[in-house]
């Protein structure tokens, strides 16, 4: 029997599969009032341990546009690890749904679900990665920049879940990756090796100076300094990330045509200045809207490869 396909991190895909999903995102979607039928009669479970605006709404909207029905639930309802183990929950839901997306604090929960599940498990953000965000980020850059191979992406700030998935995905698409983080918040040696492997032996450029990382970049990305679950570190992080705001000075170091991107939510005056977030180079709302198109591409691909039957 073919093993079930999951998307726990973007490099669970081959580069060819990643491009195929991006192509399926770009298949013209049905008019807003209509649906296409890839998920007709099917349901998708969407589990959230943390707040979400974009991921929940874009996923539910994508399932609806494909003719299916999303069942969104939280840990208060199911008690993962207290009421019952993640593996049992995944096995039970495998009998009901076509796929299960999950946003978790601990990536191990996703691993436990994937090991037990006969339906695709999709990471909707964990402490380690956010591959669905990366799909939307790559789709946005492809729409804006054209072919991504040879283009340069810059990350300024915490090398966290969003940064990791984006950087790996960008390297898989042949982009040069440039990263600026404070000491202690950048990519580890393991991360750098993973990026090198994803980028066909091209190493990322890593620095502790934001403007240096932005030099010549076609797209400059950032994210909050304190992620969900790190609220108690907010003050310490505010001090550590001083000088890592994407502002006009940082954008001036990038290519003159560079775009600014942010997964959102954004904290203007912290990781990004209001002038950049709301300025002419910002694409952060187009990027947010692409979350839905990316989920449509992902579900279409899962149907195409018969991971959803
Ligand atoms: N970018 C993103 O994942 O947003 P939400 O946390 O609102 O889902
Ligand atoms: N790094 C952020 C991303 C939110 C979409 C977090 O984990 O809170």
């Amino acid at each position: 029997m073919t093993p079930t396909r999951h998307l726990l991190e973007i490099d669970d895909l081959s580069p060819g599969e990643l491009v195929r999903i991006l192509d399926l995102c770009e298949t013209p979607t049905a008019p807003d009032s209509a649906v296409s039928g890839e998920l007709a009669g099917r349901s998708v479970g969407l589990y959230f341990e943390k707040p979400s605006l974009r991921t929940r709404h874009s996923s539910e909207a994508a399932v609806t546009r494909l003719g299916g029905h999303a069942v969104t639930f939280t840990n208060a309802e199911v008690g993962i690890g207290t009421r019952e183990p993640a593996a049992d929950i995944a096995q039970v839901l495998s009998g009901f749904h076509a796929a299960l997306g999950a946003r978790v604090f601990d990536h191990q929960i996703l691993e436990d679900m994937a090991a037990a599940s006969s339906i695709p498990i999709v990471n909707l953000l964990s402490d380690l990665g956010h591959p669905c965000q990366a799909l939307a980020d790559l789709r946005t850059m492809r729409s804006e920049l054209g072919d991504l191979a040879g283009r340069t992406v810059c990350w300024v700030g915490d090398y966290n879940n969003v940064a990791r998935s984006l950087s790996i995905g960008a390297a898989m698409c042949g982009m040069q990756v440039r990263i600026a983080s404070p000491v202690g918040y950048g990519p580890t040696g393991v991360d750098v090796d993973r990026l090198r492997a994803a980028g066909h032996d091209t190493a990322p450029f890593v620095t502790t100076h934001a403007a240096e990382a932005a030099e010549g970049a076609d797209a400059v990305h950032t994210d909050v300094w304190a992620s969900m679950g790190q609220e108690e570190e907010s003050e310490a992080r505010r001090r550590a990330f001083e000088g890592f705001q994407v502002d006009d000075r940082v954008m001036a170091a990038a290519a003159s045509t560079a775009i600014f991107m942010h997964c959102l939510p954004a904290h203007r005056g912290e990781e990004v200045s209001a002038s950049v977030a709301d300025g002419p180079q910002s694409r952060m709302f187009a990027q947010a809207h692409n979350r839905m198109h990316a989920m449509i591409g992902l579900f279409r691909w899962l149907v195409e490869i018969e991971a959803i039957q």
Side-chain angles (χ1 to χ4, degrees):
M1 214 175 84
T2 327
T4 309
R5 291 298 299 268
H6 305 290
L7 184 67
L8 303 196
E9 186 46 285
I10 198 82
D11 55 3
D12 288 344
L13 304 167
S14 69
E17 289 171 335
L18 173 54
V19 168
R20 179 64 185 150
I21 293 173
L22 295 177
D23 287 343
L24 288 169
C25 299
E26 290 184 351
T27 305
T29 50
D32 282 4
S33 57
V35 293
S36 52
E38 288 90 337
L39 292 177
R42 307 303 308 276
S43 53
V44 172
L46 299 172
Y47 168 67
F48 288 89
E49 287 181 1
K50 311 184 194 186
S52 172
L53 176 72
R54 282 143 290 270
T55 306
R56 175 178 176 176
H57 286 264
S58 62
S59 300
E60 290 194 8
V63 171
T64 300
R65 287 199 184 205
L66 296 173
H69 173 72
V71 181
T72 297
F73 60 107
T74 67
N75 199 26
E77 294 151 74
V78 294
I80 285 194
T82 51
R83 189 165 187 264
E84 57 189 311
D88 287 6
I89 289 174
Q91 283 199 61
V92 170
L93 295 183
S94 292
F96 304 152
H97 298 313
L100 174 61
R103 167 168 288 195
V104 297
F105 282 98
D106 183 354
H107 192 83
Q108 186 59 45
I109 297 277
L110 295 172
E111 300 280 0
D112 293 349
M113 286 178 163
S117 176
S118 57
I119 57 173
I121 302 294
V122 176
N123 180 359
L124 298 181
L125 181 144
S126 71
D127 52 332
L128 297 186
H130 199 359
C132 296
Q133 178 72 51
L135 291 175
D137 296 350
L138 293 168
R139 175 187 153 91
T140 308
M141 289 193 290
R142 208 165 80 155
S143 311
E144 294 284 337
L145 307 173
D147 187 6
L148 295 180
R151 296 293 204 146
T152 300
V153 64
C154 165
W155 180 268
V156 176
D158 197 11
Y159 194 79
N160 59 4
N161 40 21
V162 172
R164 184 172 290 107
S165 297
L166 168 66
S167 301
I168 296 169
M172 288 169 69
C173 291
M175 297 186 84
Q176 309 285 324
V177 179
R178 298 173 70 85
I179 301 164
S181 311
V183 172
Y185 296 94
T188 63
V190 171
D191 286 318
V192 169
D193 288 346
R194 195 167 180 181
L195 287 177
R196 194 193 289 270
H200 309 286
D201 218 27
T202 304
F205 174 79
V206 182
T207 174
T208 52
H209 299 284
E212 188 185 17
E215 274 171 27
D218 297 297
V220 179
H221 293 242
T222 191
D223 184 12
V224 291
W225 291 340
S227 285
M228 291 180 278
Q230 297 173 333
E231 288 77 8
E232 285 180 4
E233 298 173 34
S234 291
E235 206 37 60
R237 282 174 169 264
R238 204 167 283 135
R239 285 192 295 275
F241 283 84
E242 207 175 312
F244 285 84
Q245 181 182 94
V246 178
D247 55 14
D248 296 318
R249 180 189 59 92
V250 171
M251 290 307 292
S256 58
T257 52
I259 56 173
F260 168 74
M261 296 178 61
H262 193 311
C263 60
L264 301 177
H267 296 161
R268 292 168 180 80
E270 293 190 14
E271 77 276 2
V272 60
S273 67
S275 59
V276 170
D278 303 314
Q281 290 166 288
S282 178
R283 296 293 183 276
M284 61 189 200
F285 291 112
Q287 180 184 3
H289 295 153
N290 273 326
R291 294 295 309 276
M292 181 184 72
H293 299 297
M295 294 311 287
I296 288 173
L298 175 61
F299 286 126
R300 282 187 170 145
W301 176 73
L302 288 169
V303 169
E304 182 174 272
I305 65 164
E306 298 181 353
I308 289 177
Q309 288 171 335

